[in-house]
Amino acid sequence: MNTLTRPVRPSALERWWQSTVHFLRQGRHFVIAIPMTWLVLFFLIPFAVVFKISLSEKALSIPPVSSLWGWNSEDAMVTLSLYLGNYKFLWEDNLYLDAYLSSIKIAAISTVITLLVAYPIAYLIARSKKYRYVLLALVILPFWTSFLLRVYAWMGFLNKNGVINNILLSLGIIDEPLNMIGTNFAVYIGVVYTYLPFMILPLYTILEKLDESLLEASADLGAKPYETFLHVVLPLSIPGIIAGSLLVFIPVVGEFVIPTLLGGSDTLMIGRVLWDEFFTNRDWPMASAVAIVMLVFLVIPMMVLRRVQDVRQERNT
């Protein structure tokens, strides 16, 4: 004889737990949706708009671009016209290629100099116990001042009648003022000073977590301080070096303010070319094509680097 069994109803505690798990799962999707929405609104949509403009032609209109879509009322036909002449002209005119190469060169040299200056500072802050937060505050303090004012301040330092030349003349080190403003040297000074915190903070984050027992073990095994740094500290700080280098290199490639105020007429960077195309020549399609190509040149190496890091991490695990 078959007996019917009544289904067991979950207890109040089990129902509460199930509802909590369901809410957490929904909340997880909500948390992920926030940065995704931000990327869509402030990266993908603007990128699509710029890419659309780059496929149009210059026109005497407001905005000064031709429409990609056309309508033939007689045949009731919608036409799509994609103009690739802007991208073709990039490779025909050496100005744009020289600007790309010059921007990459200046960004790479500036990144190396910034790393050489920032690494000892980050290491000192990480190893300092008593004055760590004071030193961190001094690193972050420049962010409280306008970026433009800081660049203008360097113009006062580097001018022929500026602070540096006056000090050198008073000490008798030089006989006539040095011509520093309007050179690549001034651009490097401005870039390194401006982006130094972006290199220090990622390095500090990694070095602060460094296990001091590793340094003690290296010393106990007879390693000299420089050998400990080369074989223990430096390899462990590579993630911070990569993060800081990207935070400096990427914005410097498209930098406009520092080369314009501190550089000379021979300081060719892609940011100045973009400004001239947008506002001087009023050639929005050409400027958009320049921006798209620059973005591709920056994104592809980042994707490759990220892939290499993921593969290396999978091998280590």
Side-chain angles (χ1 to χ4, degrees), residues 27-42:
R28 180 181 61 183
H29 296 300
F30 177 75
V31 171
I32 297 175
I34 294 177
M36 292 300 296
T37 303
W38 179 273
L39 289 176
V40 170
L41 291 177
F42 298 102

Side-chain angles (χ1 to χ4, degrees), residues 8-22:
V8 179
R9 297 180 59 185
S11 62
L13 181 61
E14 292 175 344
R15 291 196 301 270
W16 173 83
W17 174 252
Q18 292 174 358
S19 61
T20 302
V21 171
H22 178 73

Side-chain angles (χ1 to χ4, degrees), residues 68-254:
L68 299 182
W69 301 95
W71 168 254
N72 190 339
S73 58
E74 296 180 357
D75 300 331
M77 181 182 299
V78 177
T79 59
L80 174 63
S81 301
L82 301 179
Y83 181 69
L84 301 178
N86 298 318
Y87 292 96
K88 180 182 178 182
F89 189 70
L90 284 177
W91 308 110
E92 295 176 350
D93 193 336
N94 293 330
L95 171 66
Y96 302 103
L97 181 59
D98 293 341
Y100 283 126
L101 296 178
S102 177
S103 299
I104 293 174
K105 182 193 74 172
I106 293 176
I109 295 176
S110 301
T111 302
V112 173
I113 298 175
T114 306
L115 175 62
L116 295 177
V117 175
Y119 202 103
I121 299 175
Y123 189 82
L124 173 64
I125 297 176
R127 298 274 72 85
S128 177
K129 302 296 183 181
K130 186 176 181 181
Y131 301 104
R132 175 180 299 176
Y133 298 106
V134 176
L135 296 174
L136 279 176
L138 293 177
V139 171
I140 302 174
L141 190 62
F143 287 113
W144 297 355
T145 309
S146 171
F147 167 75
L148 192 60
L149 290 178
R150 284 181 279 150
V151 178
Y152 269 115
W154 273 108
M155 295 178 64
F157 276 98
L158 299 175
N159 277 326
K160 285 189 175 181
N161 57 348
V163 176
I164 296 178
N165 275 317
N166 289 334
I167 293 176
L168 295 178
L169 288 172
S170 61
L171 295 176
I173 299 177
I174 58 176
D175 297 329
E176 58 182 12
L178 298 176
N179 185 23
M180 293 179 288
I181 197 74
T183 62
N184 286 342
F185 171 78
V187 174
Y188 292 134
I189 292 293
V191 169
V192 172
Y193 168 76
T194 302
Y195 291 95
L196 188 62
F198 295 97
M199 183 70 76
I200 292 178
L201 295 179
L203 287 172
Y204 163 77
T205 302
I206 298 297
L207 294 173
E208 192 271 336
K209 298 178 181 178
L210 187 65
D211 191 354
E212 295 186 0
S213 62
L214 298 176
L215 306 180
E216 297 174 357
S218 177
D220 292 340
L221 293 174
K224 297 180 180 179
Y226 74 90
E227 292 176 335
T228 301
F229 173 78
L230 292 176
H231 299 289
V232 179
V233 178
L234 187 60
L236 293 176
S237 61
I238 287 180
I241 294 175
I242 295 175
S245 299
L246 291 177
L247 289 175
V248 173
F249 179 82
I250 292 175
V252 173
V253 170

